[in-house]
Amino acid sequence: MAGDRPQEAGPEQASPDQRIGEFELIKRYLAPLASDPGSLGLTDDAAVYAPHDGHELVLTKDMLAADVHFFADDPPEAIAAKALRVNLSDLSAKGAVPTAYLLGLGLPDDWREDWLERFCCGLSGDQSAFNVVLLGGDTIRTGEGLQISVTAIGETPVGTAVRRSGAAPGDLLYVTGTIGDAAAGLKARLDPGFAHRMGLSESDHRHILDRYLLPQPKVKLGGAVRASASAAMDISDGLLADAAHLARASDVDLLLELADVPLSSALTAISKADQPTFQACLNGGDDYEILACVPEDRASTFEADSRKAGCPVTRIGKVTPGSGHLQLQGADGPLPIDQFPGFQHF
Amino acid sequence: MAGDRPQEAGPEQASPDQRIGEFELIKRYLAPLASDPGSLGLTDDAAVYAPHDGHELVLTKDMLAADVHFFADDPPEAIAAKALRVNLSDLSAKGAVPTAYLLGLGLPDDWREDWLERFCCGLSGDQSAFNVVLLGGDTIRTGEGLQISVTAIGETPVGTAVRRSGAAPGDLLYVTGTIGDAAAGLKARLDPGFAHRMGLSESDHRHILDRYLLPQPKVKLGGAVRASASAAMDISDGLLADAAHLARASDVDLLLELADVPLSSALTAISKADQPTFQACLNGGDDYEILACVPEDRASTFEADSRKAGCPVTRIGKVTPGSGHLQLQGADGPLPIDQFPGFQHF
């Protein structure tokens, strides 16, 4: 679409500063990313997509805004990758194999062609890394800051997508990776003294910054999730907030052993330096790890599958009968969850 | 997704001004729109969708930004409807039956609950009118103005989606509705003296304002397009610009008879008052009418089907052998297209 603009001016028109128009932009930078025949070379109004025989689609859509979900001056490659990866993370948690995506790109008034070229490089790299293709989308001028909207498509054999709602008492609770790093990385971005105050090594400091900048979605775990998990989701709002969401959706209680939550050396350092900051990071979100409930008789298979996939999991608790609550077990007994920093997320 | 926000604050958190959080917003206003079981009640990370047997998906994604694609102070119901309708228009032009959509809603900092309620009313009305359901999406705070991103899903029997690229010499060129009204409506919105200067009656004035505010996608024509059209697209960039796109995609020439382009009484009045303004409106875009090429032996069927569907079509030209150019035929012979106001759209 185009043409509909109160100011009667838009990215589609020849710019007085000689920047390329929307068509040239699509042709030069986006069309090379659209290798699927269903994308119709991005020259049509829509894309055509048929799932593989016996499969259905899993669809997710996440929006990101400059200076809300990323810093406007982040490397364009990283912004592109983050926009795609947060969506792939959702698909993996449902046990789906990502296949394609549509991109909505809202450019600020001062967009530059070299920025766009690097943004598309980031997409291209991730398309190779995650085996997905650009299927279609839209490019507009926002009139304000950069806005990105990705709709990602995955597939699962019909009826096998994993919900948040399937957990049953007796299931074990697992998580991938380490928790809290991205939230610590955001604090470090906002506060130049953070790393020093927390006593972080240079490599710990780099680690948390990287984890904020560039999520590592556990796409390779999708098969194991589908094969073994009774319920799963990715952690974006924060470990405790999301565990509570899963408990509610499944109408069970989750008992989470705080001491078992896997930590990077950076988070371990923060936990020694400043407990409230550590606890805020633990539930700070942006982890894009997978939280999964697995029936006990599938646990060893799930653990083995996850190791094989290169996404090892850690058991951090279990599912108990209940009515949708999260219970926290600390070193010295139960912790009152409503006093946990950052838990009142909504 | 949530949690990823440089300022460590977002729409998901309890607002100091007591506005509802993201979860309550979804539950109260958006979940009632998500009646399809595949939407998982909007409580999961993703939606599940399986096309009907023998069908494939047609996917389109249009973004709209406040004060670029609509006025921020337009009625919220109309903003919602426009965001959905511009996407449905794309699907109809491909011969697809719209079924569902995902909504990305980027709210400005000063969003109000009563605004959101009216926005969702607009969606609800259009869901009934066009028989589509909300399947999933995302709600964020943009940090700036309102941004809307809709991914719409339609279905066609496998292999029957109509492209821009199928036109062949000898085909006839048709258009639905009347052309130029929305562009005139935008001029009237921006210039309080416009209607008077153009000698528009009050009802003509209302008509063009309505056409800008609320597109009327020709969803009911989808079946006729699929049954008869060799190529089709919706008109969003402007009749001449889009006809040129279709000519290029099909690698044919299009001969368009300007005198045959269907006009409302408002546009007829403008053509008498001010030819340059009239010509700018004619190619101003935002029409969301369908431009279709139809083989001559299907023409009477297409015309009859379109009448039955309540979307009558007008023949405005024909397809000739060529290499992707649009030729304009005026009352006094060929018109040089590059002198047509607004044609240099890209």
Side-chain angles (χ1 to χ4, degrees):
Chain A
M1 61 171 291
D4 42 342
R5 39 184 182 273
Q7 299 99 336
E8 298 195 271
E12 305 84 355
Q13 293 190 311
S15 309
D17 55 7
Q18 302 304 313
R19 284 184 302 190
I20 56 173
E22 183 186 27
F23 275 27
E24 187 59 26
L25 181 164
I26 292 171
K27 188 176 155 193
R28 203 179 293 178
Y29 297 109
L30 296 171
L33 303 174
S35 55
D36 188 283
S39 69
L40 311 180
L42 304 186
T43 60
D44 216 297
D45 310 279
V48 177
Y49 188 95
H52 293 84
D53 272 353
H55 286 67
E56 60 191 351
L57 294 151
V58 179
L59 296 160
T60 188
K61 179 181 181 65
D62 275 345
M63 288 179 90
L64 292 85
D67 297 324
V68 179
H69 302 89
F70 56 85
F71 292 86
D73 62 355
D74 280 343
E77 298 87 346
I79 296 173
K82 183 169 196 169
L84 190 53
R85 290 177 182 201
V86 298
N87 282 280
L88 301 183
S89 178
D90 280 323
L91 296 181
S92 310
K94 307 293 100 183
V97 176
T99 56
Y101 67 103
L102 294 98
L103 172 71
L105 186 57
L107 293 169
D109 283 339
D110 60 352
W111 74 276
R112 291 163 49 102
E113 200 173 331
D114 59 343
W115 184 94
L116 188 71
E117 188 171 3
R118 292 181 57 191
F119 182 86
C120 289
C121 262
L123 290 179
S124 177
D126 265 21
Q127 290 194 186
S128 300
F130 298 107
N131 202 21
V132 294
V133 289
L134 178 63
L135 202 58
D138 192 23
T139 307
I140 65 163
R141 192 100 131 234
T142 61
E144 309 194 32
L146 178 66
Q147 309 270 345
I148 308 167
S149 165
V150 169
T151 301
I153 302 175
E155 295 191 14
T156 52
V158 171
T160 65
V162 178
R163 269 71 164 172
R164 292 184 181 180
S165 56
D171 291 353
L172 305 181
L173 184 64
Y174 286 94
V175 73
T176 57
T178 56
I179 300 297
D181 299 303
L186 174 54
K187 288 183 188 297
R189 280 292 290 272
L190 293 168
D191 171 6
F194 181 80
H196 179 71
R197 222 170 46 249
M198 297 294 144
L200 299 187
S201 70
E202 203 181 306
S203 78
D204 281 347
H205 189 194
R206 258 204 317 275
H207 170 76
I208 59 172
L209 291 173
D210 283 354
R211 284 291 305 266
Y212 175 73
L213 189 65
L214 209 54
Q216 302 291 342
K218 297 300 177 283
V219 168
K220 290 187 176 164
L221 197 72
V225 167
R226 200 169 60 245
S228 298
S230 56
M233 66 183 297
D234 76 331
I235 302 172
S236 54
D237 287 341
L239 172 62
L240 308 187
D242 284 328
H245 297 159
L246 195 150
R248 258 198 305 276
S250 289
D251 200 23
V252 293
D253 280 6
L254 293 185
L255 182 64
L256 198 155
E257 301 272 356
L258 266 186
D260 294 341
V261 173
L263 301 178
S264 66
S265 67
L267 262 280
T268 302
I270 295 171
S271 79
K272 288 174 185 156
D274 184 337
Q275 268 290 309
T277 298
F278 166 69
Q279 294 188 343
C281 290
L282 213 57
N283 196 41
D286 233 357
D287 297 291
Y288 303 107
E289 300 293 346
I290 292 179
L291 184 72
C293 299
V294 176
E296 205 161 0
D297 61 1
R298 297 289 308 172
S300 59
T301 305
F302 183 65
E303 290 177 19
D305 286 352
S306 69
R307 273 193 304 272
K308 258 182 262 170
C311 309
V313 293
T314 305
R315 186 184 153 187
I316 58 169
K318 63 182 177 186
V319 182
T320 60
S323 54
H325 296 99
L326 172 65
Q327 295 167 358
L328 281 188
Q329 190 69 24
D332 306 319
L335 289 175
I337 193 163
D338 53 0
Q339 287 173 29
F340 204 92
F343 183 72
Q344 293 298 338
H345 210 74
F346 296 95
Chain B
M1 63 170 289
D4 43 343
R5 41 186 179 272
Q7 300 99 338
E8 298 193 273
E12 305 83 357
Q13 295 190 309
S15 308
D17 54 6
Q18 302 304 312
R19 284 184 302 191
I20 56 172
E22 184 188 26
F23 275 27
E24 186 59 27
L25 180 164
I26 292 171
K27 187 175 155 194
R28 204 181 292 178
Y29 297 109
L30 296 171
L33 303 174
S35 55
D36 187 282
S39 70
L40 312 181
L42 303 187
T43 61
D44 216 297
D45 310 279
V48 177
Y49 187 95
H52 292 84
D53 272 354
H55 286 66
E56 60 191 350
L57 293 150
V58 179
L59 295 160
T60 188
K61 179 180 180 65
D62 275 345
M63 287 178 91
L64 293 85
D67 296 323
V68 179
H69 302 89
F70 56 86
F71 292 85
D73 61 355
D74 280 344
E77 298 87 346
I79 296 172
K82 184 168 196 172
L84 189 54
R85 290 177 182 201
V86 298
N87 282 281
L88 301 183
S89 178
D90 281 323
L91 296 181
S92 309
K94 306 293 101 183
V97 176
T99 56
Y101 68 103
L102 293 97
L103 172 70
L105 185 57
L107 293 169
D109 284 338
D110 61 350
W111 74 276
R112 292 164 48 103
E113 199 173 329
D114 59 343
W115 184 95
L116 187 72
E117 187 172 3
R118 291 180 57 189
F119 182 86
C120 289
C121 261
L123 290 178
S124 177
D126 265 21
Q127 290 195 184
S128 300
F130 297 108
N131 203 21
V132 294
V133 288
L134 178 63
L135 203 56
D138 193 22
T139 307
I140 64 163
R141 194 101 129 233
T142 61
E144 309 194 33
L146 178 67
Q147 310 270 344
I148 308 168
S149 165
V150 169
T151 301
I153 303 175
E155 295 190 16
T156 52
V158 171
T160 65
V162 178
R163 269 75 163 168
R164 291 183 181 182
S165 56
D171 291 353
L172 306 181
L173 184 65
Y174 286 95
V175 73
T176 58
T178 57
I179 300 298
D181 299 303
L186 174 55
K187 288 183 187 297
R189 279 293 290 272
L190 293 168
D191 171 5
F194 181 81
H196 179 72
R197 220 167 49 248
M198 296 296 143
L200 299 187
S201 69
E202 202 181 307
S203 77
D204 281 346
H205 189 195
R206 255 204 318 274
H207 169 76
I208 59 173
L209 291 173
D210 283 353
R211 283 293 302 268
Y212 174 73
L213 189 66
L214 209 53
Q216 303 291 342
K218 296 302 179 282
V219 169
K220 290 187 175 163
L221 197 71
V225 167
R226 201 170 59 245
S228 299
S230 56
M233 66 184 297
D234 76 331
I235 302 171
S236 54
D237 288 341
L239 172 63
L240 307 187
D242 284 327
H245 298 158
L246 194 149
R248 257 197 306 276
S250 290
D251 200 24
V252 295
D253 280 5
L254 293 185
L255 182 64
L256 197 155
E257 301 274 356
L258 267 186
D260 293 341
V261 173
L263 301 178
S264 66
S265 66
L267 263 279
T268 303
I270 294 170
S271 79
K272 287 175 187 157
D274 184 336
Q275 268 290 309
T277 299
F278 166 69
Q279 293 188 345
C281 291
L282 213 55
N283 196 39
D286 232 356
D287 297 292
Y288 304 106
E289 299 294 346
I290 291 179
L291 184 71
C293 298
V294 176
E296 205 161 1
D297 61 1
R298 298 289 308 172
S300 59
T301 304
F302 183 65
E303 291 177 19
D305 285 352
S306 69
R307 274 193 303 273
K308 258 183 261 168
C311 308
V313 293
T314 304
R315 185 183 154 186
I316 58 169
K318 64 181 175 187
V319 182
T320 61
S323 53
H325 295 100
L326 173 66
Q327 295 168 358
L328 281 187
Q329 190 69 22
D332 305 320
L335 289 176
I337 194 164
D338 53 0
Q339 288 173 30
F340 204 93
F343 182 71
Q344 291 301 337
H345 209 74
F346 296 95

